[in-house]
């Protein structure tokens, strides 16, 4: 369980850092995009997941739900890694240009969210990772497999795995940037970082 929590927190730390950097540094993006993302992207996607999760709990076992959810996340991240080098062409949107020329300047963040739709999707999915995998599914598993008598002893041990994961994830990001810089482009570094998360996701399913 500690190893499982470690891997979940490891992925969460990496994608949490990556999602912010992608949105903020994107052409047409910036910090003004973040409030629009939270309201018009993350909130609807959370509601959609809640509806799907409610249906799944009535029709599938907890084990299947866990594996299916992790698998869906990994499929998305793998697809994102493949498409990322082409994001500039995919984000070239006449519709976004029309919105920018039509709407007041205060809506530049909304237009940036629409223009960089691939990064918007990555941001939403990455936000859901922490809420769904860490807060919902892992602790649901912990409550199911841990007795009330053992919980005061074991739950703090699970947390140790998460704390160590944050440090390891930060060092991994720095290592990828420093070591691969002479040989890999920025796009390839992003792909490598996401590939690490996908590999960790496969390990999560295996440990589970």
């Amino acid at each position: 369980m500690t190893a499982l929590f470690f891997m979940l927190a490891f992925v969460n730390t990496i994608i949490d850092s990556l999602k912010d950097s992608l949105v903020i540094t994107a052409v047409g993006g910036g910090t003004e995009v973040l409030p629009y993302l939270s309201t018009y992207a993350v909130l609807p996607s959370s509601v959609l997941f809640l509806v799907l999760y409610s249906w799944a709990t009535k029709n599938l076992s907890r084990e299947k739900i866990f594996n299916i959810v992790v698998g869906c996340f990994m499929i998305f991240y793998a697809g994102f890694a493949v498409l990322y080098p082409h994001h500039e062409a995919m984000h070239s949107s006449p519709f976004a240009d029309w919105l920018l020329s039509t709407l007041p300047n205060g809506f530049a963040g909304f237009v940036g969210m629409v223009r960089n739709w691939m990064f918007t999707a990555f941001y939403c999915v990455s936000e859901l990772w922490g809420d769904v995998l860490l807060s919902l599914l892992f602790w649901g598993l912990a409550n199911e497999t841990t007795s009330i008598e053992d919980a005061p002893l074991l739950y703090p041990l699970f947390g140790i795995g998460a704390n160590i994961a944050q440090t390891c994830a930060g060092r991994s990001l720095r290592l990828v940037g420093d070591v691969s810089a002479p040989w890999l482009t920025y796009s390839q570094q992003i792909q490598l970082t996401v590939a690490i998360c996908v590999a960790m996701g496969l390990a999560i399913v295996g440990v589970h």
Side-chain angles (χ1 to χ4, degrees):
M1 289 293 290
T2 302
L4 185 63
F5 204 18
F6 171 90
M7 291 185 288
L8 289 168
F10 184 93
V11 174
N12 184 68
T13 302
I14 288 181
I15 62 175
D16 193 54
S17 301
L18 189 57
K19 69 178 177 61
D20 290 332
S21 64
L22 288 175
V23 169
I24 292 174
T25 61
V27 177
T31 55
E32 64 271 16
V33 177
L34 298 180
Y36 289 97
L37 284 171
S38 299
T39 304
Y40 299 108
V42 176
L43 180 59
S45 61
S46 299
V47 173
L48 177 60
F49 175 83
L50 179 62
V51 173
L52 295 175
Y53 182 78
S54 299
W55 174 87
T57 54
K58 298 177 182 178
N59 297 275
L60 300 172
S61 65
R62 186 205 57 76
E63 293 85 357
K64 288 183 179 179
I65 292 175
F66 188 99
N67 292 332
I68 289 173
V69 170
V70 174
C72 290
F73 274 96
M74 292 305 106
I75 291 173
F76 173 85
Y77 287 134
F80 178 86
V82 172
L83 294 176
Y84 178 79
H86 312 287
H87 72 273
E88 292 182 358
M90 298 175 69
H91 289 168
S92 178
S93 172
F95 176 68
D97 294 334
W98 176 78
L99 285 178
L100 189 62
S101 62
T102 303
L103 296 176
N105 293 333
F107 286 89
F110 176 78
V111 176
M113 181 188 73
V114 174
R115 180 187 303 278
N116 301 308
W117 60 268
M118 194 166 71
F119 296 164
T120 297
F122 186 90
Y123 189 97
C124 292
V125 172
S126 299
E127 281 285 314
L128 286 177
W129 177 275
D131 295 336
V132 172
L133 269 301
L134 284 176
S135 301
L136 181 63
L137 295 184
F138 175 81
W139 288 113
L141 172 63
N143 293 334
E144 183 178 309
T145 58
T146 306
S147 66
I148 296 178
E149 294 78 12
D150 292 337
L153 173 64
L154 295 182
Y155 280 15
L157 297 179
F158 300 162
I160 292 175
N163 291 332
I164 297 174
Q166 293 177 350
T167 302
C168 293
R171 292 185 178 275
S172 298
L173 286 172
R174 183 174 180 178
L175 185 63
V176 169
D178 293 343
V179 176
S180 63
W183 299 283
L184 300 180
T185 64
Y186 181 73
S187 293
Q188 292 171 331
Q189 289 178 342
I190 294 293
Q191 289 179 309
L192 176 59
T193 303
V194 177
I196 293 173
C197 294
V198 173
M200 194 67 73
L202 298 177
I204 288 171
V205 174
V207 171
H208 176 250

